[in-house]
Amino acid sequence: MTVAVVTGAGSGIGQASALRFAAKGATVIVADIDARGGNDTVARVRAAGGRAEFRHLDVADAAGWEEFAAAIVRDHDVPDVVVNNAGILIAGGFLEQSGADWRRMIAINMMGPLFGSRVFVQRMVDAGKRGAIVNVCSVGAFLPTPLGPSYVTAKAGAWMGTQALRAEFAGQGIRVSAVCPGLINTELSANGTRAGLDASSEAEWAAKLARGQQVFGRPPDRVAVAIERAIRWNLATVPVGIEAWAGWYLSRLAPGVMRGITGLAQMPLAEKVVQLSGRVLGGQR
């Protein structure tokens, strides 16, 4: 029986992926730092006739990863699929973001997937299992944008680490893929933070950004389908959405043009767009 581990599975892409794996007959380990969201996903899986259980996990905790992996192997054997999806958003310019912002972003968005890859690829190798690891990165891995430099730095690091892992373990039959979504309708923006603002202004900014994401974002299941495709065909990188494909190709064919385009999107312009979307979508009276 297939065992699939999905992090950040309490909502959004992680939840959609958990539901899709369960519908295919897998036992899904729903991992999240948010127990309420994680248990909600488990309830949805079970209501649909699938098998799932919740495990608490802070993906920034290296020791916690070791304990988590040991418990999964003890209770379920080495998983067949691991999807490292958990992530956060911190917006703001390079100097607006504090050292703590940068450390938190790197710990969760870059080291989280790499810790998860490391603890499970080791166990796959030891067991001789030809498993699959998918790290959910982002179109941000290709975009040197001033709007969220710590975010894109972390995602680029996660993408490169994924490619290095793929190169090293391909000969042992372990499939490793990076899925890089564009704009998806998840709670990433709603739960995100904006460096350089007080708490009240930050909450208002996140709410307006989240409304725009709900209108223009694709459903999370689009990414879940891409994850499934990456595993089936053993794909190295899978962009999701036209903007993700455009970013992927442009960053390779014309990186200077890419830097020029993304450099136009400074935080003052982004603030105006967020304010406008808030008014258009009913965020202001």
Side-chain angles (χ1 to χ4, degrees):
M1 183 179 297
T2 300
V3 175
V5 173
V6 184
T7 73
S11 64
I13 294 169
Q15 184 176 83
S17 300
L19 290 168
R20 179 163 284 273
F21 283 127
K24 300 288 185 178
T27 296
V28 183
I29 310 302
V30 173
D32 207 297
I33 199 169
D34 174 19
R36 182 175 180 178
N39 283 309
D40 175 63
T41 299
V42 169
R44 293 188 185 208
V45 169
R46 292 177 178 172
R51 294 178 296 275
E53 65 181 61
F54 171 71
R55 298 290 179 103
H56 180 270
L57 177 66
D58 177 356
V59 298
D61 181 2
W65 265 114
E66 290 289 350
E67 295 170 2
F68 173 80
I72 297 307
V73 173
R74 181 192 66 229
D75 297 342
H76 296 281
D77 204 354
V78 178
D80 302 274
V81 174
V82 176
V83 178
N84 290 301
N85 162 73
I88 61 170
L89 172 67
I90 302 176
F94 200 98
L95 298 180
E96 288 181 306
Q97 297 190 5
S98 67
D101 290 332
W102 278 86
R103 286 188 292 272
R104 182 165 179 253
M105 183 63 73
I106 296 298
I108 295 173
N109 283 15
M110 186 176 84
M111 296 309 300
L114 299 183
F115 282 147
S117 298
R118 186 180 190 282
V119 297
F120 282 111
V121 79
Q122 179 66 64
R123 287 164 171 82
M124 288 177 183
V125 169
D126 291 344
K129 172 159 285 190
R130 301 169 72 88
I133 295 175
V134 178
N135 292 332
V136 179
C137 298
S138 166
V139 63
F142 321 133
L143 304 180
T145 175
L147 304 180
S150 66
Y151 179 82
V152 298
T153 298
K155 290 298 188 179
W159 178 84
M160 183 59 75
T162 303
Q163 304 312 306
L165 187 74
R166 178 181 175 87
E168 183 171 353
F169 291 97
Q172 299 184 57
I174 297 174
R175 293 158 286 165
V176 182
S177 304
V179 171
C180 301
L183 189 59
I184 306 297
N185 181 15
T186 69
E187 296 180 7
L188 183 67
S189 294
N191 294 331
T193 59
R194 164 69 167 92
L197 298 181
D198 58 40
S200 176
S201 299
E202 181 181 3
E204 182 182 5
W205 187 88
K208 291 174 183 175
L209 187 63
R211 281 193 289 272
Q213 188 173 6
Q214 290 171 1
V215 171
F216 300 110
R218 300 169 185 81
D221 196 57
R222 282 281 297 275
V223 186
V225 170
I227 289 170
E228 189 177 51
R229 186 168 71 251
I231 294 170
R232 181 185 302 116
W233 300 106
N234 190 22
L235 303 175
T237 300
V238 183
V240 181
I242 189 170
E243 70 279 14
W245 281 102
W248 167 248
Y249 282 115
L250 192 58
S251 66
R252 273 137 187 81
L253 298 175
V257 174
M258 171 67 81
R259 286 191 297 273
I261 292 173
T262 57
L264 295 174
Q266 301 289 333
M267 281 310 303
L269 176 60
E271 295 287 1
K272 291 179 182 178
V273 171
V274 170
Q275 291 293 335
L276 178 61
S277 69
R279 288 194 293 270
V280 170
L281 299 171
Q284 293 183 348
R285 303 297 182 196

